């Protein structure tokens, strides 16, 4: 289903429900979607039978960085935050490119991925594994082999071709020569200075 996940929890009053209802009606669906995104398994995992406090609530996933006592409170906060216009707006959805502010800050992610792929400190240590919760290939964008609806974004590639995540990941590699640009420096990050290429420091 390609439905926008934020539509599941688009009003605060929908989340004014008991914890078990919150988990079984909203949280499990949203967290399953997040698990299928790039590196989603890095901060989420399926719960085990030992997680009795969560299994009794009907939860299927948990945050790796939180103890059981904080799982429900944080998840409820996340659902409320992500579904309120003015906090994340449409930038939290698949319609993000229609949000003008999207273009003002999204280039930071592009620059950060260049660092992860070019810096000797990170390109061999960072886990780039793509983990999807479903083996079904769709047009939703979450599967490694899903096709996106756009085409003709590279001058040196065949016309009329719609790309998969796998193809885009390779084409957007700054070492492969397909990009018409590369960042001129990686040391200035807004008001902060940081050199990710400096192998003499251990600031990972």
């Amino acid at each position: 289903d390609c439905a926008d996940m934020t539509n599941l929890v688009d009003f605060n009053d929908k989340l004014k429900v008991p914890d078990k209802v919150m988990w079984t009606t909203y949280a499990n669906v949203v967290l399953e979607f997040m698990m299928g995104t790039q590196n989603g398994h890095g901060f989420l995992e399926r719960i085990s039978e030992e997680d009795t406090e969560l299994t009794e609530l009907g939860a299927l996933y948990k945050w790796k960085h939180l103890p059981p006592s904080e799982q429900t409170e944080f998840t409820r906060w996340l659902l409320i935050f992500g579904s309120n216009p003015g906090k994340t707006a449409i930038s939290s959805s698949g319609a993000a490119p229609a949000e003008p502010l999207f273009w003002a800050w999204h280039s930071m992610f592009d620059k950060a991925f260049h660092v992860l792929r070019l810096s000797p400190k990170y390109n061999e240590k960072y886990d780039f594994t793509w983990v999807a919760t479903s083996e079904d290939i769709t047009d939703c964008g979450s599967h490694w082999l899903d096709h996106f609806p756009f085409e003709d974004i590279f001058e040196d590639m065949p016309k009329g071709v719609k790309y998969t995540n796998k193809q885009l990941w390779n084409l957007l590699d700054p070492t492969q020569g397909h990009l018409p640009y590369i960042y001129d420096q990686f040391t200035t990050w807004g008001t902060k200075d940081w050199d990710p290429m400096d192998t003499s420091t251990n600031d990972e």
Side-chain angles (χ1 to χ4, degrees):
D1 191 325
C2 297
D4 180 357
M5 290 295 104
T6 58
N7 288 339
L8 296 173
V9 287
D10 52 359
F11 301 106
N12 283 347
D13 58 0
K14 284 190 176 182
L15 289 170
K16 295 177 181 178
V17 293
D19 291 342
K20 187 169 185 177
V21 177
M22 185 273 293
W23 274 106
T24 57
T25 305
Y26 303 117
N28 286 334
V29 178
V30 174
L31 298 191
E32 179 181 15
F33 176 81
M34 294 178 68
M35 276 281 288
T37 62
Q38 172 71 8
N39 218 38
H41 65 294
F43 49 86
L44 282 167
E45 63 183 351
R46 289 192 67 91
I47 65 172
S48 62
E49 294 182 357
E50 288 74 26
D51 298 308
T52 55
E53 184 175 336
L54 293 172
T55 55
E56 290 176 357
L57 293 174
L60 299 177
Y61 305 94
K62 68 178 181 179
W63 304 94
K64 291 184 176 180
H65 68 291
L66 294 176
S69 60
E70 299 178 16
Q71 294 282 336
T72 298
E73 181 181 1
F74 177 77
T75 302
R76 188 184 294 272
W77 170 85
L78 180 70
L79 296 178
I80 293 173
F81 182 87
S83 62
N84 275 265
K87 293 183 178 179
T88 58
I90 61 173
S91 287
S92 66
S93 73
E99 163 66 76
L101 292 177
F102 172 90
W103 299 102
W105 54 262
H106 204 268
S107 58
M108 184 65 71
F109 291 95
D110 189 39
K111 185 176 180 180
F113 265 113
H114 279 208
V115 165
L116 290 175
R117 303 182 79 165
L118 292 172
S119 171
K121 291 176 61 174
Y122 299 103
N123 58 13
E124 294 184 0
K125 298 180 180 179
Y126 193 83
D127 183 6
F128 290 110
T129 304
W130 188 288
V131 178
T133 56
S134 171
E135 295 182 358
D136 296 331
I137 299 175
T138 68
D139 290 323
C140 301
S142 61
H143 194 282
W144 185 231
L145 299 179
D146 277 358
H147 287 84
F148 286 95
F150 48 78
E151 55 194 44
D152 301 339
I153 58 175
F154 296 98
E155 293 182 355
D156 59 344
M157 296 298 291
K159 301 301 179 183
V161 175
K162 293 182 178 179
Y163 302 95
T164 64
N165 281 304
K166 179 179 181 180
Q167 291 170 324
L168 281 177
W169 180 249
N170 292 325
L171 290 168
L172 293 174
D173 187 341
T175 68
Q176 299 302 312
H178 291 292
L179 295 177
Y181 68 93
I182 191 169
Y183 291 89
D184 61 345
Q185 54 80 23
F186 292 108
T187 55
T188 300
W189 302 82
T191 60
K192 303 295 183 180
D193 292 328
W194 171 60
D195 186 0
M197 304 297 178
D198 184 1
T199 58
S200 65
T201 61
N202 184 23
D203 53 5
E204 301 177 35

